[in-house]
Amino acid sequence: MTRQILALCTGIIILATAAGCGYNKLQGLDEEVKSAWAEVLNQYQRRFDLIPNLVETVKGYAAHERGTLDAVVKARQQAVSFTGSVEERAKVENMLTQSLRSLFAVAEAYPDLKANQSFLQLQEEVAGTENKIGFARQYYNDATMRYKNRIEMFPSNVIAGMFNFQPEP
């Protein structure tokens, strides 16, 4: 009888430990996803901060390209004030990326602008920021995939269900 109780207690302790480890792993992955998304938002903010200086620099050389400049300003404002889902944010940020590409394409027609040191520096900073955004997005996608896989795979899917862990977009 004592042996059975000891075996039962040992089994319960092993299960509780395994469940705790599974919960901790899921919690850690959830935090990694949140941290990765925060880095994506941080890089978006860096780009937002560069745009007004870029627009002002271009404005001095290409004042009659008002439509392109207005599109960049509008896309930036939409992105800055956006509060929706991850999927919807991606669409808004892609619109901003496209408007910046249009702005740089317009700049190609202005040799004085292309030679301006301020413009060249801003263009380089924006390009570097776009690369950082790409890396941050990739890290977010990887973290999200690891988290989702953990939620869906046995035995951690049992723990995920018990504690209502949900996949991130």
Side-chain angles (χ1 to χ4, degrees):
M1 181 77 165
T2 307
R3 202 170 249 197
Q4 292 172 338
I5 292 173
L6 183 61
L8 180 62
C9 288
T10 303
I12 290 172
I13 290 171
I14 290 171
L15 284 174
T17 301
C21 291
Y23 175 84
N24 288 342
K25 183 65 174 177
L26 286 167
Q27 191 64 42
L29 289 170
D30 183 45
E31 290 302 318
E32 182 182 3
V33 168
K34 290 174 184 167
S35 175
W37 182 244
E39 181 57 24
V40 171
L41 294 176
N42 182 43
Q43 294 305 324
Y44 286 156
Q45 185 62 49
R46 177 181 162 83
R47 179 171 61 177
F48 300 157
D49 294 344
L50 290 169
I51 290 172
N53 293 333
L54 183 64
V55 168
E56 285 303 312
T57 301
V58 173
K59 202 182 285 185
Y61 287 89
H64 65 279
E65 298 289 351
R66 195 76 193 152
T68 302
L69 294 172
D70 288 345
V72 170
V73 170
K74 181 181 176 189
R76 177 192 180 271
Q77 188 54 41
Q78 286 176 336
V80 167
S81 62
F82 187 79
T83 59
S85 70
V86 171
E87 295 91 346
E88 291 167 336
R89 172 160 295 276
K91 291 176 186 174
V92 169
E93 294 295 339
N94 286 337
M95 287 176 21
L96 178 55
T97 298
Q98 292 302 321
S99 68
L100 283 171
R101 286 184 183 148
S102 297
L103 180 64
F104 288 130
V106 163
E108 290 294 317
Y110 296 91
D112 290 342
L113 176 59
K114 287 188 341 183
N116 179 285
Q117 286 303 312
S118 293
F119 176 75
L120 292 174
Q121 183 180 3
L122 285 166
Q123 187 177 26
E124 189 174 312
E125 284 187 49
V126 169
T129 300
E130 291 294 333
N131 287 336
K132 289 176 184 180
I133 289 170
F135 289 126
R137 283 178 175 170
Q138 184 61 50
Y139 179 69
Y140 170 78
N141 288 338
D142 292 344
T144 302
M145 181 186 64
R146 284 190 299 275
Y147 177 60
K148 184 176 182 200
N149 285 344
R150 180 65 66 154
I151 287 172
E152 293 176 348
M153 291 181 179
F154 183 81
S156 56
N157 65 339
V158 175
I159 305 301
M162 286 173 35
F163 291 99
N164 201 28
F165 284 95
Q166 298 296 317
E168 296 288 335

